[in-house]
Amino acid sequence: MITTDTSEYASTVKQAILVDIARLCHLFGSEGVMTCILPQILAFLNHRKDWRLRAALCQSLPSVCLMIGREATQKYVIPCVETALNDEEDIVVEKALYCMSSLVHAGLLTRAVLLGKKGINFEAKHSKSSVDSAQGIISRYASLLLHPSTKIRHSASYFFAACSSSLGFPDDEALVAPLLRPYLRHDVDSDCITDEKMLFFSLLSSVHDDLRGGGYDPVAMIKQLEDLQITERTSNDIIGSLKFYKGIIQRQNEASREKVGFRVMDDMKIIADPKSYFSVLLPDQKFVELVAKPIPEWYDELRQLRYLEYPDRSENCTLRCMSLLLRVYCLKILQPLHSAQPQKMWKGDFMAQDVGFASSTIENKDVEQNKLKTIFSDVGSQTFHGSSKGEWGSVSLVDPVSSEMSQLVSKLNSMEAPVVPPHHGLLRDLEGRPYSCHATARSSPTTSDKYRPVEWKPRIDNLSCSTLPREHNGPVTRLAVSQDFSFFVSASHDGTCKVFETAQLRDSVGHLKSCLTIGGDGESSSRVNDITILENSKSVASGNSAGSVLVSRIEESTSEAKSTLISTPSIASLPRYSRVSGSKLVRKVDAQEGEILAVSHFNTNSASIVTYATQMAVHSWDLRCAKEPFILPTRPEMGFVTSFTIGNDRNWLCTGSNSGHIALWDLRFHKCIKLWRHSSHSPINRLASSHSSLSINGDPSPHLVIGAGLNESSIFDLTTGTCTHCFRVLDPLLSYVDTHSLPKDKVTLPYLDNVKPKSQFPGNFLDSSNLLTSARLPPPNPTICSFTGRLRSSGCSYLVTGDSLGVLRYWDFTSASKCYTISGLRNTTSRPFYECIDYGNRKMIVCREAPPNLVAHHEASSSSPLLAKVQKGPVRPENRHQDAILDIKRIEYPVKGLLTCSRDGMIKLWK
């Protein structure tokens, strides 16, 4: 009786019923809901006097639909909800859209209902008689994105984002995005179309209330918006979107003049000024220093000043003349043939004095710090900056000559175009010609054949040269070799980085001498933990315990003297003198994050990114735009980062922690996509990556080299997460124990345990069960502290490891008979032997060290040590490292060799 009562007093009772309709549905069951409840409550939409009742019905319909199922919802409920979408009250339309969103989230709307027949069959032909049946809900109500009501546009964005999330990738980009594109300012990807906030901010301007004329007819309004929708999509979707937006603007102007509603116009054309047609070409980061001059030093200082003191300003306010713009961005601008702009504007420096600089300042000239600060407060700079941002007042006040310059700067800012990087130094081949490491260096065949042999292996105990004991006053933690092998740099805990010329390796009499020192002036107490060479340059980036990253350029003076007795290109043309130009860029990290633990660098097509790890996160720093592209935070449960490596394709990154966790990060989406823990639960001392195939017929795949556990290193295939090769050093007490009698943990391949994040509790990243069952273990001793090598399907694949006892070993992937110990054995110790254990497609190579020598024990216990020494005869002096080998680098030129550094403060070259 209550549901059939149409009096105005019954509306309140009906709303009370809808408040707790879910319990009523459970009482009646699915059949009772279909026969009794659903027909009655759907009739509430006919109550045109009370909009609150219609809105309450739309809000409570999802709980009813969960009882009746998908088929009944699509057949009986959806037509009624579409009636509510055409309601004259905005609140009813809003609730109806949220109702549809709830049905999508509950999975009660199929793909055919959302997309129509066109979403099922891409070859469907639409005629006028079959348009309505072929169109889905998304196509029919996409025009609500331009509704005058902000709440309705919000709810519509929420509904279409829910539809996109339900369909998933790639259907959201291939099917949903083309339907919504006419109502958006720009093209959207999967991340944008599934996020209601990003989708809302991408909408075009809404249709204003003053365009409705004398009265508001929502049905006619939506009908007109539906007529504007493009049903057939071609390759010119972007042009169609621009035409659509241009037509709306034209109709808004006509409606505001005529005070009538707008009409659909078929002849919509975009009229633009021909002088705005020009192409802008930007240089590739991988080859930018070969084709462009470096950024002016004053502009780089201005950018750093803005980053530190004026975050609300922009250094682009100085780009008011084309010569400065071309100098900073290295643009190649192609003008149209019919441009009305005078050509002198694109070439002259008539605006240089207005900027406040002389014309010589465009080149690399020093500018005072106070003069740089006055640029941000200059009225002309502020006006130009506001005009490039589109501020109406600044656009009207800017100099007419600079109007097009501000438009060009605005386009560059919207595209996030990078400026030219600072001067990091050019790589040069053996003939002295500059080249890029991303392309093959040009060299003569004779030079390549003579100085760069194909295969090379280090010999046993073949020490070529070494540094003096007082070269570094602390442990030498890392080495970095320039990509043209002209110098290498060492980092030490004494707070300094020292540069060594490689030319001395050929003529050395046994001593390595540094030619210059970086740091050590005011930060001697700050330990340098890591150092790396910037790709395709002669600059180094170092991270210290004070929480700062320092980028320094190594300048070289090349000697042109060549020997007349040799017809081949002389290696005397290598740089003889090097000096540091200064600390150009310094990035201070928050003091709460502690010291810099690891540093790396890589180039993309448009960025030069320095990546560094602290105790809390992995940060990045773009040298071209002085901003942070991404931050990869690490949870305290994972421990602090001890090492990380970047994939060869620059799309992924792996981090290792002191608790044995290994995280795989996607650099494109800045997300942790996989988390493991090493089976030894010991710290990850070193990580490296390689994209190769370890078999001749296998496809290349990403591999991860891990140094962890008790004196072992292992190779893991990241596609499967399994260990393919393991190189392990057994305890000397197990040297003569048969393989079948060895403890199980000594012959078992290491593995990676999957660690599942706990999504229910965002505060706890890791499952508590994993934390309770995995107590923090003391680090094993000895351990692998460093390694280098080469992985490939054909040829020699090898790994050279250095452990915490100062032993250097060569491991061959194919045969245990080719493995040997390079250095580190005592004179009284017998040479170890290597054994291979096959596990099908996987392999383990173990090193069996000899037990303590009985002769040495007899000499120590002898009553006459002098007599025992005389009887033994002359003994070769030991050339081994006296402590842990912390880094290994291979050098190719001018000699083949291995550079090693140790905790004893020594650097050695092994040939």
Side-chain angles (χ1 to χ4, degrees):
M1 296 295 294
I2 296 176
T3 57
T4 57
D5 190 359
T6 58
S7 62
E8 56 180 313
Y9 301 102
S11 178
T12 306
V13 181
K14 295 177 181 179
Q15 294 181 39
I17 294 176
L18 294 175
V19 170
D20 203 9
I21 193 66
R23 295 179 60 186
L24 189 62
C25 293
H26 282 288
L27 176 63
F28 278 81
S30 58
E31 294 184 0
V33 171
M34 284 293 299
T35 56
C36 301
I37 297 179
L38 185 62
Q40 301 294 332
I41 63 174
L42 290 181
F44 292 172
L45 289 175
N46 298 326
H47 201 292
R48 311 307 298 175
K49 295 182 180 180
D50 192 354
W51 58 267
R52 295 181 181 84
L53 179 60
R54 301 196 300 272
L57 173 64
C58 296
Q59 190 172 1
S60 51
L61 271 179
S63 58
V64 180
C65 295
L66 290 174
M67 292 294 300
I68 62 177
R70 177 185 297 176
E71 295 295 334
T73 300
Q74 295 178 168
K75 186 175 181 181
Y76 302 108
V77 178
I78 294 301
C80 299
V81 178
E82 292 189 41
T83 304
L85 291 175
N86 296 294
D87 201 275
E88 63 271 9
E89 295 292 339
D90 292 349
I91 185 64
V92 179
V93 179
E94 177 189 359
K95 296 299 182 181
L97 286 170
Y98 283 123
C99 175
M100 298 284 278
S101 303
S102 301
L103 297 180
V104 172
H105 285 303
L108 297 178
L109 300 185
T110 61
R111 174 192 179 98
V113 174
L114 296 177
L115 298 174
K117 294 181 179 179
K118 190 174 182 180
I120 304 300
N121 185 10
F122 290 92
E123 301 178 355
K125 300 291 185 178
H126 299 293
S127 60
K128 294 183 179 179
S129 60
S130 61
V131 168
D132 293 337
S133 60
Q135 289 184 343
I137 294 178
I138 298 177
S139 178
R140 290 201 299 271
Y141 297 101
S143 53
L144 290 177
L145 292 171
L146 297 184
H147 198 278
S149 175
T150 304
K151 293 183 178 180
I152 291 181
R153 293 199 306 275
H154 269 291
S155 57
S157 302
Y158 183 81
F159 168 64
F160 294 122
C163 295
S164 302
S165 301
S166 176
L167 294 174
F169 182 83
D171 291 342
D172 52 356
E173 291 189 8
L175 301 177
V176 180
L179 298 177
L180 306 183
R181 192 169 296 153
Y183 310 98
L184 306 177
R185 298 179 185 272
H186 53 80
D187 291 343
V188 292
D189 55 3
S190 181
D191 291 337
C192 180
I193 203 172
T194 55
D195 190 339
E196 65 274 9
K197 293 183 179 180
M198 297 178 62
L199 183 61
F200 176 78
F201 289 121
S202 303
L203 298 178
L204 294 174
S205 300
S206 62
V207 181
H208 298 289
D209 292 337
D210 55 357
L211 300 183
R212 300 170 182 170
Y216 174 54
D217 187 358
V219 179
M221 181 74 178
I222 295 178
K223 179 60 178 176
Q224 290 174 357
L225 290 175
E226 289 177 352
D227 294 339
L228 293 177
Q229 188 173 350
I230 304 173
T231 56
E232 295 295 336
R233 311 298 175 194
T234 63
S235 61
N236 299 324
D237 283 335
I238 299 178
I239 299 177
S241 301
L242 293 176
K243 290 181 178 180
F244 176 80
Y245 190 39
K246 185 68 177 180
I248 290 180
I249 295 176
Q250 291 177 353
R251 287 191 293 275
Q252 287 178 351
N253 296 334
E254 293 178 2
S256 61
R257 291 193 303 266
E258 301 176 5
K259 301 296 181 181
V260 295
F262 59 83
R263 295 176 300 173
V264 179
M265 299 178 61
D266 297 329
D267 53 345
M268 294 183 294
K269 299 180 180 179
I270 300 178
I271 302 176
D273 193 350
K275 67 181 181 181
S276 62
Y277 297 150
F278 54 84
S279 301
V280 178
L281 304 180
L282 296 172
D284 193 337
Q285 167 64 30
K286 299 178 180 180
F287 307 97
V288 62
E289 294 212 10
L290 297 178
V291 299
K293 295 181 180 180
I295 192 173
E297 294 184 3
W298 62 265
Y299 188 86
D300 193 29
E301 294 177 3
L302 186 68
R303 182 176 59 180
Q304 296 300 318
L305 184 64
R306 191 270 305 175
Y307 183 83
L308 296 175
E309 300 183 15
Y310 301 93
D312 57 334
R313 306 295 175 86
S314 175
E315 64 276 6
N316 290 341
C317 62
T318 60
L319 306 180
R320 283 178 273 171
C321 62
M322 184 55 63
S323 57
L324 287 176
L325 189 66
L326 298 180
R327 184 73 169 81
V328 171
Y329 281 93
C330 188
L331 301 181
K332 183 178 180 181
I333 300 181
L334 306 178
Q335 285 187 271
L337 297 177
H338 303 289
S339 176
Q341 183 65 32
Q343 293 295 324
K344 64 179 182 180
M345 179 180 177
W346 304 99
K347 299 179 181 180
D349 296 333
F350 60 93
M351 291 290 292
Q353 294 293 338
D354 182 53
V355 177
F357 300 145
S359 59
S360 61
T361 310
I362 300 176
E363 302 300 328
N364 282 332
K365 303 295 182 181
D366 294 334
V367 183
E368 297 180 358
Q369 188 79 4
N370 295 332
K371 195 171 185 179
L372 292 176
K373 292 183 178 180
T374 58
I375 296 177
F376 293 113
S377 59
D378 182 62
V379 177
S381 300
Q382 295 179 2
T383 304
F384 185 83
H385 174 59
S387 176
S388 62
K389 292 176 60 178
E391 297 177 0
W392 182 85
S394 300
V395 172
S396 60
L397 294 177
V398 73
D399 193 327
V401 182
S402 304
S403 59
E404 289 195 5
M405 289 298 304
S406 64
Q407 294 177 9
L408 182 57
V409 171
S410 177
K411 293 179 181 179
L412 293 174
N413 292 336
S414 62
M415 294 186 298
E416 296 184 354
V419 299
V420 178
H423 180 44
H424 295 311
L426 288 174
L427 299 179
R428 297 186 180 274
D429 59 10
L430 301 179
E431 285 77 18
R433 295 172 296 189
Y435 74 98
S436 172
C437 71
H438 301 283
T440 304
R442 297 174 296 178
S443 59
S444 60
T446 57
T447 301
S448 177
D449 295 340
K450 184 172 182 178
Y451 297 109
R452 298 193 178 184
V454 178
E455 296 291 345
W456 172 85
K457 291 183 179 181
R459 288 176 285 184
I460 299 175
D461 284 333
N462 188 20
L463 179 64
S464 174
C465 52
S466 174
T467 58
L468 297 175
R470 302 298 295 177
E471 185 70 47
H472 278 290
N473 297 325
V476 182
T477 55
R478 291 291 185 271
L479 298 173
V481 183
S482 65
Q483 291 173 299
D484 59 354
F485 302 107
S486 60
F487 65 89
F488 67 90
V489 187
S490 62
S492 174
H493 277 183
D494 61 4
T496 63
C497 299
K498 297 196 174 184
V499 182
F500 298 81
E501 297 173 354
T502 57
Q504 63 177 317
L505 301 180
R506 182 187 72 257
D507 304 324
S508 176
V509 294
H511 298 299
L512 284 175
K513 296 182 180 180
S514 61
C515 57
L516 56 95
T517 301
I518 306 174
D521 298 332
E523 298 185 4
S524 57
S525 60
S526 300
R527 306 180 308 275
V528 182
N529 295 326
D530 199 0
I531 192 170
T532 185
I533 290 286
L534 269 61
E535 278 189 6
N536 204 33
S537 71
K538 292 189 176 181
S539 297
V540 294
S542 59
N544 56 32
S545 60
S548 62
V549 177
L550 177 66
V551 177
S552 304
R553 181 176 71 247
I554 309 299
E555 293 184 347
E556 295 181 341
S557 301
T558 304
S559 174
E560 301 295 339
K562 295 185 179 181
S563 175
T564 58
L565 300 178
I566 304 177
S567 59
T568 58
S570 175
I571 55 179
S573 60
L574 282 175
R576 287 288 184 179
Y577 306 100
S578 301
R579 66 182 186 276
V580 177
S581 61
S583 302
K584 291 299 301 176
L585 301 173
V586 178
R587 176 66 177 269
K588 293 290 184 180
V589 184
D590 194 336
Q592 296 180 356
E593 295 193 15
E595 55 187 276
I596 305 298
L597 302 175
V599 180
S600 183
H601 175 268
F602 65 94
N603 285 331
T604 63
N605 293 332
S606 60
S608 177
I609 300 177
V610 174
T611 309
Y612 53 94
T614 64
Q615 294 182 357
M616 298 180 62
V618 176
H619 295 263
S620 60
W621 179 25
D622 192 350
L623 297 177
R624 293 189 68 171
C625 58
K627 71 176 184 179
E628 198 163 30
F630 58 86
I631 302 177
L632 309 178
T634 58
R635 299 288 300 176
E637 298 89 339
M638 295 175 56
F640 60 85
V641 178
T642 55
S643 179
F644 70 89
T645 181
I646 301 172
N648 296 58
D649 55 358
R650 276 52 173 161
N651 290 331
W652 57 273
L653 179 145
C654 267
T655 60
S657 68
N658 67 328
S659 60
H661 288 95
I662 300 174
L664 178 61
W665 299 84
D666 193 328
L667 294 182
R668 298 167 299 178
F669 305 101
H670 310 161
K671 294 181 180 179
C672 180
I673 58 178
K674 198 69 176 179
L675 185 62
W676 300 286
R677 192 172 190 185
H678 196 268
S679 57
S680 64
H681 291 192
S682 59
I684 307 298
N685 298 321
R686 188 60 68 91
L687 290 176
S689 62
S690 176
H691 188 81
S692 60
S693 174
L694 297 179
S695 61
I696 299 178
N697 299 325
D699 296 329
S701 60
H703 289 82
L704 188 65
V705 187
I706 304 176
L710 183 60
N711 214 357
E712 71 174 35
S713 57
S714 50
I715 316 295
F716 284 85
D717 189 345
L718 287 181
T719 58
T720 59
T722 58
C723 178
T724 60
H725 292 76
C726 179
F727 308 103
R728 180 176 295 167
V729 181
L730 295 180
D731 191 282
L733 299 178
L734 301 175
S735 298
Y736 298 108
V737 178
D738 186 70
T739 304
H740 301 287
S741 302
L742 288 173
K744 186 176 180 181
D745 59 334
K746 303 299 181 182
V747 294
T748 303
L749 288 173
Y751 56 89
L752 298 178
D753 288 322
N754 289 322
V755 180
K756 297 181 180 179
K758 216 175 180 187
S759 58
Q760 295 88 344
F761 304 97
N764 298 328
F765 185 78
L766 303 180
D767 195 344
S768 58
S769 60
N770 295 333
L771 298 177
L772 295 177
T773 58
S774 57
R776 186 66 58 86
L777 301 176
N781 190 32
T783 59
I784 298 298
C785 300
S786 58
F787 51 71
T788 186
R790 180 177 60 191
L791 277 69
R792 61 185 189 181
S793 58
S794 60
C796 179
S797 295
Y798 67 90
L799 191 69
V800 179
T801 61
D803 62 13
S804 57
L805 299 179
V807 182
L808 199 63
R809 297 182 179 86
Y810 180 92
W811 306 85
D812 190 275
F813 279 61
T814 58
S815 174
S817 61
K818 299 180 181 180
C819 303
Y820 56 92
T821 301
I822 302 174
S823 173
L825 299 178
R826 302 286 183 181
N827 291 329
T828 58
T829 305
S830 302
R831 299 206 66 83
F833 61 95
Y834 295 80
E835 179 184 358
C836 181
I837 304 176
D838 286 327
Y839 295 92
N841 296 329
R842 301 183 293 171
K843 184 181 299 184
M844 174 188 291
I845 298 179
V846 296
C847 173
R848 293 177 177 265
E849 293 185 331
N853 200 321
L854 298 179
V855 177
H857 179 71
H858 174 71
E859 293 177 357
S861 60
S862 176
S863 60
S864 178
L866 181 61
L867 179 62
K869 185 176 181 179
V870 172
Q871 293 176 352
K872 189 176 182 180
V875 180
R876 177 183 177 182
E878 294 181 350
N879 54 15
R880 64 189 298 273
H881 281 290
Q882 301 301 319
D883 209 331
I885 300 176
L886 300 180
D887 200 8
I888 306 173
K889 288 293 187 294
R890 176 169 175 171
I891 190 168
E892 302 285 343
Y893 188 80
V895 295
K896 294 276 189 178
L898 288 177
L899 286 170
T900 60
C901 65
S902 173
R903 191 177 287 134
D904 58 9
M906 303 293 290
I907 302 174
K908 299 179 182 292
L909 174 67
W910 309 87
K911 289 186 178 179

